Structures are given as C-alpha cells and as structure tokens.
Amino acid sequence: MTIALELLRAAATTGNVGNKNPLDIFYEKLDKQIEYAKQIKAGKDINSRSCWFRRDGANYVVRIGRNAFEIAGSKLFRAADLDGVMEVLGAAKDAIKADTALQDAIALHSMERSERLKKGRAAGKAKKAK
C-alpha cells in the first residue's frame, strides 16, 4: 500500500494536463455554453444547472464563468434572446483574448480552485483513514 501511494505521489501533476492550460479549458467551456444555447434554441432539453445563463422574465442574464468574472465593469449581462446569449458569450471570449489581466485572473482562479479541491480531497481521505 505504501509503495502504491508513493508511486501516485510521484506521478501527480499540477501542471497542464493534455497540453491544455487553464485558458484553453476556459475557452472550451465558453464554447460549450454557446453550444448549450444553440441546443436550447433548437428545443432540446438540457441540464440548466450547468449553464452560465438563465431566463429572467422575457430576457436572459448571462455570467461569464461559474464564478462570474468581471468584464467591462460588470459580472452580469442581459440578453434579449438566445441569439443575444451567444453574442455575449462570443464577445466575452474575444474580450478575454485581448485582456491579459483577465487571462491572469482566470488562470489564478483555476489554480486556487484546484488547490481548494486538493485540500478537500486530502481532508476527506484523512477522515476515512481514521
């Protein structure tokens, strides 16, 4: 058992996985949100808990990221319809590509979240070991 744990610790990585950095992963998530909006527009039923947008009366409210990154001085954006949601998400992707401070904030958030999750898993393992 000890040898297996040592092997796993030696093989653990905190770097890029699959040659993807946090920004590449975030861009993929933005694309996934645009795809969700397209699916909803096409009438498909999806799990809306994973969406970064929600219906608010006749309009939609869009946040960029699970934790809502601030872009252009705002964390929430209004869209009249699903086409507007897709436009907001696409514009956010363009804005992120042009803003190195925002890119750094996304990478930092990713690293901090990863560390929190690791600590939580370690605490859970320690609790089970007792």
Side-chain angles (χ1 to χ4, degrees), residues 3 19 45 86 90 93 107 129:
I3 295 170
N19 295 327
D45 192 28
M86 290 182 265
K93 188 173 181 179

Side-chain angles (χ1 to χ4, degrees), residues 37-57:
K38 288 178 183 176
Q39 289 176 5
I40 291 171
K41 186 176 179 182
K44 294 184 180 173
D45 192 28
I46 66 165
N47 181 358
S48 62
R49 289 189 64 197
S50 55
C51 290
W52 294 352
F53 56 92
R54 62 177 166 76
R55 192 172 263 303
D56 183 36

